Amino acid sequence: MLTQRMTTLVEQWTAVGDRRSIFLACYQRMTENMLSAVVHHDFFDPDWVAHLIGSFADYYFAALAAWERDQSGPAVWQYTFTYANRQNASVAQHLLLGVNAHINCDLVLVLDDLLHQEWPLLSAEQQRQRHADYLAVNRVIEQTIDRVQDEVIAPYSATLQLLDAVCGPFDEWCTARLIRNRRNDVWRQALAVMSLNDQEEHLTARHQVDRLALARAYLLSGNLTEVRSFGYPLRWLKRLRLLQAINTTRRYVC
């Protein structure tokens, strides 16, 4: 089972202090809630969404397998897995680097995989339903954010738990808006990639997806000046618990 595979890895990595566990623990909870939504028919086409979930996870595990084999794979995942060795980096950085690689690279590519052939054959209504199912995932993410913060991030810092009590639902609301905004951009990016019928241009565009995600990873792990990591100014990100410890020499407060 997919979520059990994730849980097993999280437990193994947590036991040895491998910080790849931070993103995967988040991803496991998101996947668990997504599969539950599929079972409860919260989508126009649950089968298509189930296929999306499985294919999306395949990209992560393929990147992980390539890295563990010979430290190869997509450039953004190479950087993210290497960065996981940095114990002095914040929990937020480890989490956001994983989110960046999986959404800004893998999600674009898996949407291209699933839609490239079928999109021109779908009616306008079917295309609308595909997009609606994609947007419905945002609701699942919103419902999972508080659990991720409480179960994955908060145990690393008592300060984060205090901030959550002070800020109430505001940080979860901001986080949901940030992720929703980024996923909207990913959908548009995927449509642009899959519209390229020339094979060479299409492959070049897919490689560019990896390079753009890598550039964003550089910013997330270092220079935050004027960074709009998920489509919002840094002043928004400062209000989130996720970024409370992104720079160990500073303290963000609500």
Side-chain angles (χ1 to χ4, degrees):
M1 185 176 179
L2 177 57
T3 54
Q4 184 56 52
R5 183 182 183 185
M6 293 176 175
T7 299
T8 299
L9 276 175
V10 169
E11 291 174 349
Q12 292 174 353
W13 287 343
T14 301
V16 296
D18 187 331
R19 290 206 161 192
R20 288 180 296 178
S21 63
I22 296 170
F23 166 71
L24 188 55
C26 167
Y27 187 28
Q28 181 272 327
R29 286 157 176 80
M30 293 289 184
T31 302
E32 186 177 90
N33 284 0
M34 280 293 301
L35 292 172
S36 177
V38 168
V39 170
H40 289 89
H41 300 282
D42 292 341
F43 305 98
F44 285 105
D45 190 342
D47 290 339
W48 183 81
V49 175
H51 190 193
L52 174 63
I53 294 169
S55 299
F56 193 31
D58 286 344
Y59 266 87
Y60 172 79
F61 286 112
L64 178 62
W67 171 255
E68 294 192 332
R69 182 179 61 250
D70 55 12
Q71 297 190 348
S72 62
V76 67
W77 276 116
Q78 291 181 45
Y79 184 82
T80 300
F81 289 142
T82 299
Y83 204 85
N85 293 321
R86 294 186 55 173
Q87 295 294 321
N88 62 334
S90 71
V91 174
Q93 285 173 307
H94 291 302
L95 176 59
L96 290 178
L97 284 169
V99 170
N100 168 66
H102 205 36
I103 290 182
N104 290 314
C105 182
D106 296 348
L107 185 55
V108 177
L109 299 181
V110 76
L111 286 172
D112 178 45
D113 291 344
L114 298 185
L115 296 175
H116 185 75
Q117 296 297 326
E118 76 161 10
W119 190 257
L121 305 177
L122 298 177
S123 67
E125 175 60 19
Q126 289 172 321
Q127 291 179 353
R128 186 195 69 80
Q129 290 182 1
R130 283 284 184 267
H131 188 214
D133 280 344
Y134 176 81
L135 293 178
V137 174
N138 293 335
R139 295 195 298 271
V140 179
I141 292 174
E142 291 169 9
Q143 294 164 3
T144 312
I145 286 173
D146 195 52
R147 181 185 173 196
V148 168
Q149 292 185 345
D150 291 341
E151 297 178 7
V152 179
I153 301 174
Y156 284 90
S157 173
T159 303
L160 299 183
Q161 295 173 318
L162 175 62
L163 285 173
D164 190 46
V166 173
C167 296
F170 182 74
D171 55 341
E172 286 85 356
W173 176 77
C174 288
T175 308
R177 287 196 64 183
L178 298 174
I179 295 175
R180 182 169 63 248
N181 187 72
R182 183 87 288 274
R183 291 186 79 256
N184 289 341
D185 289 342
V186 163
W187 177 264
R188 289 189 290 268
Q189 188 178 3
L191 289 181
V193 172
M194 72 186 193
S195 68
L196 299 172
N197 293 319
D198 181 85
Q199 184 175 6
E200 185 175 348
E201 289 182 354
H202 185 244
L203 290 175
T204 298
R206 286 175 64 92
H207 291 150
Q208 181 66 7
V209 168
D210 184 19
R211 290 193 291 270
L212 290 173
L214 177 61
R216 190 178 296 273
Y218 289 149
L219 293 174
L220 285 171
S221 61
N223 179 17
L224 292 180
T225 304
E226 302 301 327
V227 173
R228 295 171 179 264
S229 297
F230 287 91
Y232 278 74
L234 185 58
R235 65 178 180 273
W236 277 85
L237 302 182
K238 288 180 181 179
R239 301 301 298 266
L240 304 180
R241 280 188 319 146
L242 290 178
L243 292 183
Q244 184 270 339
I246 203 163
N247 186 329
T248 57
T249 64
R250 303 170 65 182
R251 292 293 184 268
Y252 297 140
V253 296
C254 291

